[in-house]
Amino acid sequence: MGVVVLNGNVDLDSLENYFKVNMVKNGWRFVNSFKFKDVTLNFVKDDKTCNIKMSRSVFSSDVEIWVGPADRASSERMGGQKTFDTGPKGYESIPKGHESR
């Protein structure tokens, strides 16, 4: 598991587009995103998940990138299909091909 925190002065729409394009180029599959004040992007690759949270204040943008293992127990429950865990314990994992876009 790893966490990277970045800070700079960048437009959030530009950051969102950058990660959506370049994560896919690097073999990550886009799962979903949530956008209100902050932007959260979720990706999956093999047995790993990546959550990217972007926020904006008056003079700066903050980005947190979290990478960790996917939930293996959920994969076994789904008959060996690759799955990912998008939230805290108790949330169901979603099989590949059934995620929202």
Side-chain angles (χ1 to χ4, degrees):
M1 176 182 253
V3 179
V4 175
V5 178
L6 306 166
N7 181 280
N9 190 9
V10 181
D11 176 65
L12 285 189
D13 289 332
S14 174
L15 271 177
E16 179 181 6
N17 186 58
Y18 171 83
F19 284 114
K20 282 183 174 178
V21 169
N22 288 288
M23 291 292 284
V24 170
K25 283 183 181 179
N26 285 292
W28 291 87
R29 185 172 55 88
F30 175 74
V31 176
N32 60 19
S33 64
F34 303 95
K35 193 173 192 177
F36 182 57
K37 291 180 182 179
D38 299 339
V39 177
T40 301
L41 304 174
N42 297 300
F43 296 88
V44 65
K45 179 179 184 179
D46 301 325
D47 60 349
K48 297 175 281 214
T49 61
C50 178
N51 307 95
I52 301 172
K53 180 184 174 201
M54 298 168 274
S55 58
R56 179 87 184 146
S57 63
V58 177
F59 296 108
S60 68
S61 302
D62 297 311
V63 178
E64 292 180 19
I65 304 170
W66 294 70
V67 176
D71 183 2
R72 292 177 191 235
S74 294
S75 179
E76 291 170 9
R77 275 196 317 268
M78 298 298 293
Q81 292 178 334
K82 294 239 182 228
T83 61
F84 54 92
D85 188 8
T86 60
K89 292 269 184 208
Y91 280 58
E92 288 187 37
S93 294
I94 303 169
K96 182 176 178 180
H98 291 86
E99 67 277 1
S100 61
R101 298 204 189 258

